[in-house]
Amino acid sequence: MHLNVALLTALGAVLLGTGQMGSHSVLLALLAVFAAITSVVFTDVLAWFRLNRTLANLAAIAAVGFSLTDFFGNDAEYQLLAVANLLIYLQVVLLYQEKSERIYWQLMILSLLQVVVSAALNLGFQFGVLIVAYMFLSFSAMGLFFLYRESLRFVKRQPDFGPAAPARQGAKGKSRRRRDRRRWPLRPTARPLAFRLKTDSAEIFSLRRFFRQVLAMGLTTLMFTVLFFFALPRVSNSVWQGPRGMNRAVVGFSQEVTLDTMSKMLQSEEEVMRVSFVDEETKESVQLMSGPYIRGTVLTRYFFGRGKWHQSKATQAHRFETLAQAGAWGNVVSQEIVLQPRPDPVLFAIYPLFNVQGTPIQVKIDPETRQLTRSNHHLAPRGPYRYAIGTTAFHNGRQLPLQPAGRYYRHGELVNLTRFQPTAWPNLKRIADEVVSAAGVADDDVYEKAMALEAHFHEPNLYIYSLSQLGVERAENLDPVEDFVANHRTGHCEYFASALVLMLRSQGIPARMVVGYRATEYNSVGDFYQVREKEAHAWVEAYLRDDQVPDELEQSAAVPPQGAWLRLDPTPMMDDLDRDTAAMNLWDYVTEWKNYVQGLWSDYVLGLNADRQKESIYAPVLNRLSSTLKSLRDVRKWPQAAAKTASWAFGGSMAGSIVTGALALFFTWLLWRKRQKLKWRPGRLARWMRPWRRRRRQPSAAVRRVRVDFYERLEGEFAKYGLRREYHQTQREFATSAVSRLAPQSDDDRTISLAHRIVEAFYRVRFGRRSLETHQTQEVEDALDQLSHALQGQGMDGSSHHSRVSGGEPRQKLGKLPGGRTH
Amino acid sequence: MFGKTRITICREGLYYLVVLSFIVAGAIMREINLLVVIAGMMLAPVFINLRLAIATLSRLTIDRRLPGSIGAGDLLVVEVTVKNTRRWLASWAVVAEDRAERAGGRQKHDRQRVELFFPHVAAGETQTVSYRGRLMTRGRYRFGPLKMSSRFPLGLVRRTVVVDKTDTLLVCPRLGRLKDTWHAVSRTEQSGTLTSRSRRGLIEGDFYGLRDYRAGDSRHWIHWRTSARRGSLTVREFERQQEQDLAILLDPWLPDEPTAGQLDNVELAVSFVATAVAEQCRRGGSRLWVGTAGRSATAFDGACSAALMDEVMEHMAELEAHSAPPISELLARGLQRFGPSGRLVVVSTRRLDPHQDEPFADIRNNPAMAHAAERCLIVDVGSETLGKYFEIE
């Protein structure tokens, strides 16, 4: 019981610790685990350290006061954390107290509250694993606690029914007057009748059968919970995103780029989105040979000296337009994206974009900037945003470097994209000229020029890729890009992209910077790319007129007359980031599975809102039901319908699995409920089972066992001294043997005769099927009491006892005497 | 056998549901799906508890075994047997409740409730436990109905089954010990008892031996087996009867508003008379006349036997004291029955004076009975007289 409750409290604290609480609360959770372990050892088992009630109350008041200071004056997130901390403080105080019914209650309630708070703080699927473990533990604790309390009710009532009343005479001189009011010795007592529970009933706690029942109960609860969770109708499309919710800070991606804003780029493991690619024709998932570039925003304007990149034009809502259909473009692949909540309306995708089935109507594109946005961003419910959008950017498992321009560019726009002042970046211009010259590229070969400039950044040992600008010697009077190219040559993707854009522009090639993500983490279990904040990236696009596109690039589709954008990535080592799936080790597989499960958890548990429920649960079930009912009208279609239904039920779909689970639960319950009736049902099976039934009707030896209370007490007396009846011994032989071992120095005959008297009575009741008269029962009780006293008298003589038991009969089990003495 | 069943939510279950409702409210208001998970995990145990509580008591039989009768203050052991007739499912944590109520009792201690606990009754197993105690007040006790309840496995929901099984137990007056003074009184010729030398009757005394039949011998004494073997009638010989007949009258007077001492006196008087009757019947071989003046006058008259003792004990177990017991009539009957040669023992809870008190008024007017009344042995339980004859533990 101690251990179970301690484990329960520790697990509750761990659940809190795994939430989004920060390191301070993780330490507190570890403290709670430590307290749980040490309290079992030092408080419950060894009883070395126990807080008295006054001290515990003072500590609890101090904990409340300390937590209240955190609670007031903070936002909701910190208030929740303050509550979580308070729960842990109180739990630690309770753990070090002597355990009683009250303490157990309080510990279990605190633990439950911790779980409730952690449900608001925890978004990881680990919560799901831990909560299942917690459920089993709590059932076990509740069951044990229930049995403990039930037993305690009866153990506490240990009345003494011995002949305690002294002899009284009807009348005796002066003394009679003194006891005038209490002379009748049989005054009624408050509780004349009572039940005495056998003290060894604690053995039920260790029964395996109890824990089997807990297991069965846990599994049933698990199935019920799954059904309850998915069937309970959701009314809103909002989804809880933890206490930070909408205030998610975006570390990696930004709609502006400012060089040198941080001396060291921070990398965050936080998930931004999951992207999966499905071929629109075959409906099969598409895996790329290298990580795709997922565009967020295009930056065209660079502010000299400040190192800042901006969009050329602010996005205006009224100018948004819906996406076009793919039309004559090549193979359309649907990008199915689950985007975590963001503070801005920017949507991410691989261009060019087309409308496909599943593209929400709220997804719009700015006709000028080609920026993809979400029109109802401010009104949208909380939670991840799902959208599908088509693209033709893939060919033979690769993302094409060319992206058709979505429109015709005006001359002025192209001028802006080539605006470059040689005096501002003299070194950059010089280097670009040298690179182009060294490459020997023809003056009108824009593509080759661009490729040569990109290759320049990939030259070994020329540039250093680093997220940190710490220790880099900077020329304060120079533009950061000029300084990067001319001097330190150390930087991250934004430096490289900026430098290449400016170099391209120095050569008269329209160029722009693109920020987004370079997805490298492909999950082969779930067939999706998991994009994290640390994968935010900046690259370059150079504009090529249709006549400037070399022939070898026109493999997937013809370049439209509007021209195309050529993707260039000057950042070195980016290709190395693509994971080689053939070289995956076990840990990678584990990580993939973990991410996949986390995805399912986020999709179907955390993110189950009204739409999602309708789409994933209700609609598939109703559709299947409807089609099955339709098939039932035609007998010829039954086999086909059955196969389809079976495939749906066991095919792994969420709705199918839930319905299968529900039906399994229902039929299990039905069988269990009706099994008695089934047993008597006439028929062939019943006839066939008749011999078996006849055998079953003969109760086994264990079933035939009838307990005789007083004899069990006798065996219990002997059991206290480690003596148990062997299978080959009769009750009489056992009693004789036990008494002769336990009371060798006493009046043997008398003690043995006491034991024999009890055994005789047992034989009379058990085998003679007779009941004892009151006086016989009284005699047996007296004999038991006398025997118990006799044995206790002998039991105190530990030395002689020890030698007889351990030396004389090695097969006898050595027990522990009451009071802790072993012998 | 089964009466009504009831399902209730326990106090712990109520608290549990309150917490659960808060969690559900939080899940709905804050749209936290994980709270829905927790709510589901908390809701299932309520249903499971309900189902198991129902299942654990189904096909479970319960029975009680009582002794026929006991004396007040004797150890009473009541065995309660629970049998699980199911083939698969064990029963856990079954609480059986029994009730005992004294007929006509109005005090709190006249109604008792006992709970018994069966931690685990395996499928097909029969388990017997007992509760015990000492019923201090004589009377007729009604046991039952039996109740079985279970809150297994979590203690949230309780199912109770009432089994309509009632039994009656007669608690006879507490027996004490008669002192030698009493035996001396009873042995004294013409001083407390009526002498009897009759050899007739079924109880003739202790068996002594066999002899030939003589004229006048009772046919009941013929030992037929020996007679057949010998070919001549042979009769059994008995030791000569030495026991004295006993006539005793109990006057359990009690004022309308009695004190504790007066209540004790009634019990002492009843115990004294019961002890005297039991002793007389145990010895046998004499006649016994017992008169009791409770709410109504009752008299027993006959040869001492176990049957007579049981009858008297049964009556005295339920004897109620009264402020105006009909003692005059019994006195007259007792004195008439024993005639002028006998002596009646009157055990009373009040001080009685044959010359003055109202119950003796009629007798004083009858000279023959007045003479007999003069020789009555009046034992006032409230005085020190009782201590000479009787003690009780």
Side-chain angles (χ1 to χ4, degrees):
Chain A
M1 184 71 195
H2 295 318
L3 191 65
N4 205 320
V5 173
L7 281 174
L8 193 72
T9 52
L11 194 56
V14 168
L15 274 166
L16 267 184
T18 54
Q20 303 173 342
M21 294 173 63
S23 57
H24 172 66
S25 297
V26 172
L27 280 177
L28 269 180
L30 287 176
L31 170 70
V33 173
F34 174 78
I37 295 167
T38 52
S39 68
V40 169
V41 178
F42 298 113
T43 304
D44 300 332
V45 177
L46 298 174
W48 286 356
F49 174 71
R50 281 177 177 170
L51 282 177
N52 66 39
R53 199 162 173 180
T54 312
L55 204 59
N57 287 342
L58 287 174
I61 290 169
V64 171
F66 186 66
S67 300
L68 281 179
T69 55
D70 284 347
F71 187 83
F72 292 111
N74 276 313
D75 58 14
E77 179 189 350
Y78 284 99
Q79 286 177 349
L80 208 54
L81 295 184
V83 171
N85 292 345
L86 174 63
L87 293 174
I88 291 180
Y89 295 147
L90 292 178
Q91 181 176 299
V92 171
V93 172
L94 286 174
L95 279 171
Y96 286 113
Q97 288 186 59
E98 187 177 2
K99 301 298 180 298
S100 64
E101 206 177 319
R102 177 182 62 86
I103 299 287
Y104 279 133
W105 267 122
Q106 290 171 349
L107 276 172
M108 286 204 278
I109 289 169
L110 275 182
S111 182
L112 177 63
L113 290 177
Q114 285 176 351
V115 172
V116 171
V117 173
S118 69
L121 291 167
N122 220 318
L123 300 178
F125 78 96
Q126 296 89 341
F127 180 88
V129 177
L130 290 176
I131 195 72
V132 171
Y134 183 88
M135 180 195 71
F136 279 102
L137 264 181
S138 62
F139 285 167
S140 166
M142 283 175 74
L144 283 176
F145 187 49
F146 162 70
L147 289 176
Y148 166 74
R149 281 188 300 129
E150 290 287 87
S151 309
L152 207 62
R153 278 170 61 195
F154 296 96
V155 171
K156 276 179 180 173
R157 302 172 188 171
Q158 293 283 357
D160 181 15
F161 294 119
R168 287 172 188 270
Q169 292 194 341
K172 210 169 198 177
K174 292 177 186 174
S175 62
R176 183 192 166 277
R177 282 193 291 277
R178 280 201 300 273
R179 60 170 183 262
D180 186 53
R181 294 184 62 79
R182 291 289 299 170
R183 55 205 286 271
W184 178 245
L186 301 179
R187 282 273 171 83
T189 53
R191 290 184 49 78
L193 299 173
F195 164 70
R196 185 195 301 241
L197 181 68
K198 286 186 299 174
T199 48
D200 61 347
S201 66
E203 70 189 18
I204 57 175
F205 296 129
S206 60
L207 284 179
R208 232 183 315 167
R209 283 169 296 190
F210 172 77
F211 291 103
R212 258 201 329 243
Q213 293 222 3
V214 167
L215 185 68
M217 196 163 64
L219 292 176
T220 313
T221 300
L222 212 54
M223 292 183 77
F224 174 86
T225 305
V226 170
L227 292 177
F228 176 79
F229 179 80
F230 287 109
L232 189 75
R234 306 297 200 277
V235 290
S236 162
N237 277 326
S238 288
V239 172
W240 176 255
Q241 287 293 309
R244 292 169 194 174
M246 296 297 291
N247 304 324
R248 276 167 69 106
V250 179
V251 178
F253 173 82
S254 166
Q255 285 183 275
E256 288 183 356
V257 166
T258 305
L259 301 175
D260 262 351
T261 51
M262 283 185 289
S263 52
K264 183 177 181 182
M265 289 282 281
L266 297 176
Q267 286 194 306
S268 167
E269 292 287 333
E270 203 161 355
E271 184 185 282
V272 181
M273 60 184 140
R274 268 175 289 132
V275 187
S276 52
F277 302 110
V278 178
D279 192 302
E280 274 291 283
E281 279 184 17
T282 62
K283 297 296 177 190
E284 288 179 355
S285 65
V286 175
Q287 184 183 355
L288 302 177
M289 296 171 75
S290 60
Y293 291 82
I294 304 169
R295 184 203 281 187
T297 302
V298 173
L299 306 175
T300 52
R301 295 178 65 197
Y302 181 74
F303 291 86
F304 172 74
R306 285 186 277 172
K308 276 193 174 181
W309 285 93
H310 279 267
Q311 280 186 317
S312 60
K313 192 180 290 183
T315 305
Q316 295 176 28
H318 67 275
R319 297 193 62 198
F320 288 159
E321 62 185 34
T322 52
L323 293 167
Q325 297 292 335
W329 289 95
N331 191 23
V332 179
V333 171
S334 172
Q335 313 170 62
E336 293 174 359
I337 299 172
V338 182
L339 182 67
Q340 295 301 322
R342 294 183 52 81
D344 53 50
V346 173
L347 295 180
F348 297 84
I350 295 170
Y351 285 61
L353 302 175
F354 299 99
N355 213 347
V356 291
Q357 189 182 8
T359 303
I361 197 164
Q362 298 86 6
V363 174
K364 306 281 187 185
I365 191 161
D366 188 310
E368 293 294 326
T369 62
R370 312 303 294 168
Q371 171 73 60
L372 194 67
T373 52
R374 182 181 175 191
S375 63
N376 65 339
H377 176 256
H378 296 294
L379 301 173
R382 291 173 302 175
Y385 184 64
R386 299 166 177 281
Y387 56 100
I389 203 159
T391 185
T392 53
F394 303 129
H395 183 73
N396 287 339
R398 287 192 181 277
Q399 186 179 359
L400 294 171
L402 272 183
Q403 178 209 134
R407 62 181 174 86
Y408 286 102
Y409 285 88
R410 295 183 295 275
H411 177 70
E413 285 178 292
L414 294 176
V415 168
N416 280 337
L417 289 173
T418 52
R419 184 169 290 164
F420 182 82
Q421 291 180 335
T423 53
W425 298 281
N427 289 309
L428 185 141
K429 168 72 174 158
R430 177 179 54 80
I431 292 168
D433 290 343
E434 285 173 7
V435 168
V436 170
S437 167
V441 180
D443 200 36
D444 59 343
D445 193 347
V446 176
Y447 173 75
E448 286 301 332
K449 277 186 185 174
M451 296 308 289
L453 288 172
E454 183 196 39
H456 165 72
F457 290 97
H458 293 171
E459 278 185 36
N461 304 323
L462 191 57
Y463 291 90
I464 300 168
Y465 176 80
S466 171
L467 289 170
S468 173
Q469 291 291 303
L470 292 172
V472 175
E473 286 186 15
R474 309 295 307 273
E476 296 294 332
N477 54 342
L478 286 182
D479 178 81
V481 181
E482 173 74 359
D483 191 24
F484 167 69
V485 174
N487 300 321
H488 57 81
R489 294 187 175 180
T490 303
H492 44 75
C493 59
E494 291 169 355
Y495 279 93
F496 285 93
S498 302
L500 182 57
V501 169
L502 292 177
M503 282 186 178
L504 287 167
R505 288 182 179 182
S506 72
Q507 302 302 311
I509 303 169
R512 61 189 186 183
M513 181 191 278
V514 182
V515 286
Y517 291 93
R518 171 82 197 282
T520 56
E521 193 176 333
Y522 184 73
N523 191 307
S524 56
V525 181
D527 289 327
F528 59 83
Y529 280 94
Q530 188 162 28
V531 184
R532 302 180 187 278
E533 287 292 1
K534 69 175 184 181
E535 291 169 330
H537 190 45
W539 63 94
V540 177
E541 285 181 349
Y543 179 75
L544 304 180
R545 290 196 313 271
D546 58 339
D547 58 328
Q548 291 172 335
V549 177
D551 294 340
E552 65 266 24
L553 287 180
E554 297 182 42
Q555 291 176 355
S556 60
V559 174
Q562 300 94 310
W565 289 96
L566 174 68
R567 188 183 68 250
L568 301 166
D569 190 353
T571 309
M573 297 188 300
M574 285 311 290
D575 288 337
D576 299 342
L577 295 176
D578 289 328
R579 191 163 43 170
D580 183 4
T581 51
M584 281 175 68
N585 58 25
L586 181 65
W587 179 247
D588 291 332
Y589 280 113
V590 171
T591 308
E592 278 200 354
W593 270 103
K594 177 174 161 286
N595 292 336
Y596 175 65
V597 174
Q598 178 64 53
L600 289 180
W601 182 258
S602 301
D603 281 357
Y604 291 103
V605 180
L606 297 176
L608 191 79
N609 53 22
D611 282 350
R612 188 88 179 126
Q613 189 178 37
K614 188 179 171 187
E615 171 200 339
S616 308
I617 313 291
Y618 292 163
V621 172
L622 289 175
N623 289 342
R624 175 47 45 196
L625 198 65
S626 160
S627 61
T628 306
L629 286 175
K630 276 180 191 168
S631 320
L632 286 178
R633 292 176 194 161
D634 188 353
V635 180
R636 287 169 300 180
K637 290 183 181 173
W638 284 11
Q640 194 183 356
K644 275 187 180 173
T645 308
S647 161
W648 178 77
F650 300 105
S653 75
M654 180 59 71
S657 305
I658 289 168
V659 170
T660 310
L663 289 175
L665 189 65
F666 175 71
F667 281 113
T668 308
W669 174 77
L670 203 65
L671 277 175
W672 183 63
R673 188 180 160 80
K674 300 287 180 189
R675 69 181 188 283
Q676 294 298 333
K677 290 180 184 172
L678 287 174
K679 190 181 68 176
W680 297 111
R681 186 162 290 172
R684 219 168 151 184
L685 182 66
R687 279 199 297 279
W688 178 75
M689 289 174 68
R690 195 168 291 154
W692 178 77
R693 272 170 44 201
R694 198 172 297 131
R695 278 201 304 277
R696 291 291 306 179
R697 274 190 215 140
Q698 297 292 328
S700 65
V703 170
R704 281 202 305 271
R705 192 159 62 99
V706 176
R707 289 189 180 175
V708 178
D709 203 19
F710 60 81
Y711 180 73
E712 291 216 343
R713 200 180 141 197
L714 177 71
E715 285 205 342
E717 289 292 338
F718 292 140
K720 287 180 189 171
Y721 303 96
L723 297 177
R724 299 194 193 285
R725 189 164 66 85
E726 301 291 336
Y727 288 113
H728 58 80
Q729 284 181 309
T730 64
Q731 283 81 0
R732 177 187 280 272
E733 286 168 352
F734 170 60
T736 309
S737 153
V739 170
S740 62
R741 286 182 199 296
L742 291 176
Q745 295 176 1
S746 69
D747 185 358
D748 246 2
D749 292 341
R750 185 176 155 274
T751 319
I752 287 176
S753 95
L754 285 172
H756 282 180
R757 207 181 303 166
I758 298 162
V759 172
E760 291 297 337
F762 167 73
Y763 284 159
R764 203 154 49 238
V765 172
R766 174 67 185 86
F767 302 112
R769 297 190 180 279
R770 291 180 200 161
S771 58
L772 298 182
E773 296 298 326
T774 306
H775 70 275
Q776 290 172 322
T777 311
Q778 178 69 57
E779 282 173 13
V780 171
E781 293 288 329
D782 290 345
L784 270 168
D785 289 340
Q786 289 173 30
L787 184 72
S788 175
H789 286 303
L791 294 180
Q792 272 178 6
Q794 286 300 311
M796 295 303 288
D797 184 10
S799 56
S800 65
H801 203 186
H802 176 84
S803 60
R804 290 296 294 266
V805 172
S806 59
E809 193 70 34
R811 72 162 182 271
Q812 298 285 5
K813 296 170 188 171
L814 295 181
K816 192 170 183 182
L817 279 173
R821 292 178 296 111
T822 53
H823 66 108
Chain B
M1 185 180 178
F2 285 94
K4 61 180 179 181
T5 66
R6 200 176 58 206
I7 290 170
T8 48
I9 294 174
C10 307
R11 192 182 55 175
E12 295 86 345
L14 206 61
Y15 296 154
Y16 185 88
L17 289 178
V18 169
V19 173
L20 176 59
S21 60
F22 273 109
I23 290 174
V24 171
I28 293 170
M29 289 168 65
R30 305 293 299 185
E31 292 154 342
I32 305 175
N33 277 341
L34 291 184
L35 285 184
V36 179
V37 173
I38 294 173
M41 283 181 171
M42 287 184 72
L43 195 59
V46 178
F47 294 126
I48 292 173
N49 198 158
L50 176 67
R51 182 64 209 144
L52 282 179
I54 290 172
T56 207
L57 292 185
S58 66
R59 303 188 64 198
L60 206 65
T61 62
I62 187 167
D63 199 6
R64 174 202 311 112
R65 198 165 61 183
L66 279 174
S69 65
I70 58 162
D74 288 347
L75 181 67
L76 167 69
V77 180
V78 182
E79 289 185 347
V80 177
T81 303
V82 165
K83 186 175 183 186
N84 183 355
T85 60
R86 290 189 301 266
R87 293 174 59 192
W88 306 103
L89 191 67
S91 288
W92 293 79
V94 176
V95 176
E97 183 191 306
D98 200 4
R99 288 171 185 272
E101 184 174 357
R102 190 168 72 88
R106 286 180 292 274
Q107 302 293 324
K108 192 179 172 185
H109 55 75
D110 289 327
R111 286 183 291 278
Q112 291 298 325
R113 193 172 66 90
V114 192
E115 284 189 331
L116 301 97
F117 187 52
F118 294 84
H120 178 249
V121 187
E125 189 187 37
T126 301
Q127 222 178 80
T128 302
V129 300
S130 59
Y131 64 89
R132 58 202 68 202
R134 296 177 192 274
L135 295 171
M136 301 301 191
T137 314
R138 64 191 166 79
R140 188 176 293 276
Y141 285 77
R142 181 175 176 274
F143 282 73
L146 281 163
K147 276 186 192 172
M148 283 189 296
S149 63
S150 180
R151 300 189 294 161
F152 183 77
L154 301 174
L156 305 176
V157 182
R158 183 204 312 272
R159 188 200 182 201
T160 308
V161 173
V162 181
V163 182
D164 192 17
K165 166 90 171 88
T166 54
D167 290 305
T168 304
L169 174 70
L170 191 70
V171 179
C172 298
R174 175 74 165 161
L175 298 183
R177 192 172 68 83
L178 295 171
K179 290 186 170 176
D180 290 341
T181 323
W182 170 260
H183 296 302
V185 167
S186 67
R187 276 196 298 271
T188 307
E189 190 75 12
Q190 300 289 328
S191 66
T193 54
L194 183 68
T195 309
S196 170
R197 293 290 179 268
S198 169
R199 289 176 56 185
R200 292 190 176 278
L202 286 174
I203 300 171
E204 310 292 350
D206 293 336
F207 177 74
Y208 176 72
L210 297 170
R211 63 169 173 78
D212 289 336
Y213 178 80
R214 295 172 199 158
D217 283 345
S218 170
R219 274 180 297 175
H220 291 291
W221 300 346
I222 297 172
H223 195 267
W224 293 106
R225 188 179 297 171
T226 310
S227 302
R229 196 166 56 240
R230 292 181 60 201
S232 61
L233 285 176
T234 307
V235 295
R236 287 169 290 181
E237 273 192 314
F238 300 95
E239 284 188 21
R240 190 177 180 81
Q241 297 289 347
Q242 294 293 333
E243 299 303 328
Q244 311 298 319
D245 294 347
L246 174 64
I248 191 163
L249 170 60
L250 173 61
D251 172 33
W253 173 84
L254 193 68
D256 289 333
E257 293 179 1
T259 63
Q262 286 166 326
L263 287 167
D264 288 351
N265 283 345
V266 170
E267 295 305 315
L268 265 176
V270 171
S271 273
F272 174 45
V273 173
T275 308
V277 168
E279 184 125 338
Q280 195 73 12
C281 289
R282 187 178 57 79
R283 288 179 179 175
S286 60
R287 296 194 67 80
L288 175 69
W289 184 90
V290 181
T292 59
R295 289 188 177 277
S296 60
T298 310
F300 301 88
D301 189 2
C304 285
S305 65
L308 178 64
M309 185 180 77
D310 287 347
E311 201 178 347
V312 175
M313 287 296 176
E314 190 173 337
H315 172 72
M316 291 186 65
E318 297 181 272
L319 182 70
E320 287 184 47
H322 198 259
S323 57
I327 187 174
S328 307
E329 179 197 343
L330 280 172
L331 268 171
R333 283 166 62 186
L335 290 172
Q336 277 174 358
R337 170 72 182 78
F338 280 83
S341 60
R343 186 175 175 186
L344 183 67
V345 179
V346 178
V347 179
S348 177
T349 54
R350 55 184 163 170
R351 187 179 296 278
L352 286 176
D353 186 351
H355 301 289
Q356 294 177 357
D357 286 343
E358 190 271 335
F360 289 88
D362 293 341
I363 292 165
R364 282 198 295 271
N365 297 332
N366 185 333
M369 290 176 75
H371 175 68
E374 287 291 327
R375 290 188 291 107
C376 277
L377 172 62
I378 298 176
V379 179
D380 175 11
V381 177
S383 73
E384 295 172 9
T385 320
L386 183 66
K388 290 193 288 187
Y389 306 123
F390 177 65
E391 67 176 6
I392 191 165
E393 291 181 348

